[in-house]
Amino acid sequence: MKPILFSLLALLLFTGARAQQNDAAAAETLSFKETEFNFGKIAQSKPVYHLFTVYNKSGKPVQIANVQASCGCTTPEWSRDAIAPGGKTDIKVGYNAAAEGPFEKTITVSYGDASQVLRIKGEVWKTPSTPAPGNAPVQFLNSRLQP
């Protein structure tokens, strides 16, 4: 009984070590210039965009399989073409800024057997419901300056 138990334990340890090596190798294939971006304060109902740059550090082409946003208010766009060895590509992430208040969204980039989580955050300011009032002194001066 002990030899069987020992064999199973050794097999599990060996399999776990191999999986970690494979994950580390897959994670080293793509490098991200940044994994988080802060838009700061943005106006409500004004879409904003950011480009996340991705570099292929491996010696073979790597294709991004999928880019999934955490909600429908965030829209990722990416090339379906493989990234050449030593090459780069951009992932364009848009946020529609409809809801007022702070936000933090995640975008999961899947490639090979690995994935990387990107984050965008910021604060949406409510836009005024009425236009700004006219400036009477400026209008008066403009009327005086016109011939």
Side-chain angles (χ1 to χ4, degrees):
M1 183 70 170
K2 284 185 181 180
I4 294 174
L5 198 59
F6 179 74
S7 297
L8 286 174
L9 182 61
L11 180 64
L12 285 173
L13 289 174
F14 178 74
T15 304
R18 291 284 296 173
Q20 287 179 348
Q21 288 174 352
N22 289 342
D23 289 347
E28 291 177 359
T29 58
L30 293 184
S31 171
F32 293 77
K33 182 178 178 182
E34 61 188 338
T35 57
E36 185 173 303
F37 182 77
N38 188 343
F39 285 107
K41 296 178 181 178
I42 57 177
Q44 188 177 21
S45 301
K46 301 285 185 191
V48 291
Y49 301 93
H50 181 69
L51 295 177
F52 286 95
T53 303
V54 183
Y55 301 94
N56 181 354
K57 294 173 36 179
S58 74
K60 61 183 180 178
V62 176
Q63 186 167 8
I64 295 174
N66 193 25
V67 180
Q68 181 70 43
S70 60
C71 74
C73 58
T74 306
T75 54
E77 297 176 22
W78 73 100
S79 173
R80 302 317 196 252
D81 298 332
I83 307 166
K88 69 177 184 171
T89 190
D90 289 322
I91 298 172
K92 181 180 179 182
V93 177
Y95 180 70
N96 73 0
E100 180 184 2
F103 67 91
E104 184 169 338
K105 305 297 179 184
T106 59
I107 302 94
T108 304
V109 180
S110 302
Y111 56 95
D113 292 336
S115 63
Q116 174 67 49
V117 176
L118 307 175
R119 296 185 195 298
I120 59 169
K121 61 183 178 178
E123 185 173 354
V124 178
W125 285 73
K126 184 176 182 176
T127 54
S129 58
T130 60
N135 193 335
V138 171
Q139 293 169 350
F140 173 76
L141 287 174
N142 283 338
S143 67
R144 293 283 199 184
L145 295 174
Q146 293 177 358

